[in-house]
Amino acid sequence: PSIENSNSTSSIPAQDLYQLNTFIQESLAREQLLENKLVALQKIVAETETASKCGWRALMDEDRLLTRLEILENQLSLYGKSMNEDKLREETKRLMDDKELYQTAAKE
């Protein structure tokens, strides 16, 4: 059997139409598979970007806190050289409390 084109005298065999339909269906299936993979890749890229931003932010926060601790430790050392014992104890306690607060904030 074949299908005749009403506008011309040529006819297309049914086997060729069936094969063409099969090729189109396979092509659509491959296209859908590729689209699914693309969506999955886009999701992975977005998740990676989010994780990267969080990691960078954590690194910057850690660096900032370490710098602050270093400054406080230097101040403590300087005060130790210029204060009497009572003032030194008070300042040391205050600075150690500050240090604990910064360390707690860094852990959160």
Side-chain angles (χ1 to χ4, degrees):
S2 65
I3 297 181
E4 291 186 26
N5 192 345
S6 60
N7 293 339
S8 83
T9 59
S10 65
S11 65
I12 302 172
Q15 178 65 25
D16 288 349
L17 287 174
Y18 176 76
Q19 190 175 16
L20 180 60
N21 183 48
T22 302
F23 289 153
I24 291 171
Q25 294 302 318
E26 289 173 355
S27 176
L28 290 172
R30 284 192 303 271
E31 182 180 0
Q32 185 63 47
L33 182 65
L34 288 173
E35 285 180 11
N36 291 344
K37 286 182 180 181
L38 181 60
V39 167
L41 283 173
Q42 288 171 335
K43 181 180 176 187
I44 290 170
V45 167
E47 290 171 354
T48 303
E49 183 180 3
T50 301
S52 175
K53 286 179 181 178
C54 288
W56 180 255
R57 197 173 311 121
L59 180 66
M60 297 306 292
D61 289 345
E62 180 183 5
D63 188 50
R64 194 175 317 120
L65 287 173
L66 289 173
T67 301
R68 176 74 174 138
L69 287 175
E70 184 179 350
I71 290 169
L72 291 173
E73 288 170 348
N74 289 339
Q75 285 178 348
L76 180 62
S77 175
L78 181 65
Y79 289 141
K81 295 176 184 174
S82 65
M83 293 185 160
N84 65 31
E85 273 192 44
D86 290 335
K87 286 185 178 180
L88 180 60
R89 282 190 188 115
E90 289 175 18
E91 189 64 20
T92 301
K93 182 178 179 335
R94 187 184 69 76
L95 290 173
M96 292 303 285
D97 291 342
D98 284 352
K99 182 178 179 180
E100 285 182 37
L101 288 173
Y102 281 112
Q103 286 176 337
T104 303
K107 290 178 184 177
E108 294 173 357

